[in-house]
Amino acid sequence: MTDSLQRVLDALPPSFANRQTIRDAAAIAIRDDEATLETQMELTRIPAPAFREGERGVRMAELLRESGLTRVRTDPVGNVLAEFPGAPSGRPLILSAHLDTVFPEATKISVSRDGARMTGPGIADDGRGLAVIVAVARALMQAGVDPPAPLLVVATVGEEGVGDLRGVRELFKDDREGRQASGFISVDGAGLEQLVNVGLGSHRYRLTVRGPGGHSWSDWGLPNPIHALGAAVGELSSRALPTDPVGTLTVARWGGGTSVNAIPSEAWIEVDLRSPSPRVLEEVDRDLHATVKSAVEKMNARVPAGTRLEVETTRIGARPAGQTSWDAPLLRAARTATEAVGAAPETSIASTDANVPMSLGIPALTLGGGGRAGGMHTVDEWYENDQGSLGVLRVLFTTLLALERDA
């Protein structure tokens, strides 16, 4: 056993770290660092855009089965699930990473490596997370660890963007395995310090305003959807938003019209609202719709009868907000593991798969998988394996300590 690994084990509770199977699992995780990187690159090379994660899911299922996990299966939306054999019955702890990427089908997916640095779209988010949960499963099985509570390993679909957390939503439906979970650990991206224990909620809308349209000269005076939405956007941009907790409102896209010499018959905006507070999120949501409605009504009040504008609202995304207490047993396990690998735990707010269980009152958090990363969500995304094996150890120890607290 290396001196560096011994120092990590010495920082853990002796009753935990002195068990031979746990020491063996840690040694295997360190030994298999290169194999973990190979898994990371292999999975990243398999395209997995939103709603097209199937091929990567097939390979992930094979890897989990090869690690020794049992009851490997795919659920109705494409999540891959596997169980630790021989665990006692009870509420499972879930260890998870997501299969999908932000990149559309046309994106050329290639991964290159130069020493410790690998470059390719999705190599960190979430190629790293997937490789780490495979590494943890392999280490536990090869070391013969006997977990005191059930462990369910899941690779989810639809975490990114338009996926709108569809995989984890399915996992935590009333009749699915996740709803009875004792806790949920998501491994997403790189890093050692951050513990995402606050789920950043979001509401996303496409607001479309329609009218009769017409010629810019001969029909001037008819209601103009772009003018109405422009007035609404102007009002929204000058509005004071909540600051404690914070709420944000971003008009991210807009469009409409067919010609420079025509009054448009349709215009639209897409808006992203965010807050870690469900209450604030609802407050900003109400204000958005009231402001757009008011702008349209003001225009309708000064145009000829029978030429009114109408608003259509389409929700294009909604992520629930939530929070896991800093003192929750799952967070204490993660803090202990983080400190043991020599990092200072930092709480963080983000939108991840953990949002859904948090919103249901199930303890949940998101951890990075070690190393460093940059260029996220670009084709030049990179991961650098700077003590990346410590990230595997952190997830391994968090999982085992959380299982003990749930036993």
Side-chain angles (χ1 to χ4, degrees), residues 179-204:
R179 201 53 179 263
Q180 301 303 315
S182 63
F184 178 88
I185 302 168
S186 172
V187 186
D188 199 338
L192 273 182
E193 295 82 12
Q194 289 193 340
L195 311 176
V196 178
N197 70 315
V198 180
L200 182 62
S202 64
H203 291 177
R204 294 168 179 168

Side-chain angles (χ1 to χ4, degrees), residues 164-184:
D164 204 30
L165 306 182
R166 83 180 191 281
V168 76
R169 289 181 197 276
E170 176 72 18
L171 183 64
F172 283 92
K173 283 182 177 179
D174 285 345
D175 58 343
R176 301 297 186 199
E177 292 93 332
R179 201 53 179 263
Q180 301 303 315
S182 63
F184 178 88

Side-chain angles (χ1 to χ4, degrees), residues 289-320:
H289 291 93
T291 301
V292 173
K293 180 181 178 182
S294 175
V296 169
E297 288 176 347
K298 287 178 181 177
M299 179 159 286
N300 282 339
R302 59 178 188 265
V303 298
T307 61
R308 294 174 57 83
L309 298 177
E310 300 290 341
V311 182
E312 178 185 343
T313 300
T314 304
R315 192 175 79 174
I316 57 176
R319 296 183 174 218

Side-chain angles (χ1 to χ4, degrees), residues 236 239 241 249 282-292:
L236 290 166
R239 191 74 56 83
L241 291 167
L249 184 154
E282 290 299 330
E283 179 184 330
V284 177
D285 190 299
R286 287 193 300 270
D287 190 52
L288 164 69
H289 291 93
T291 301
V292 173

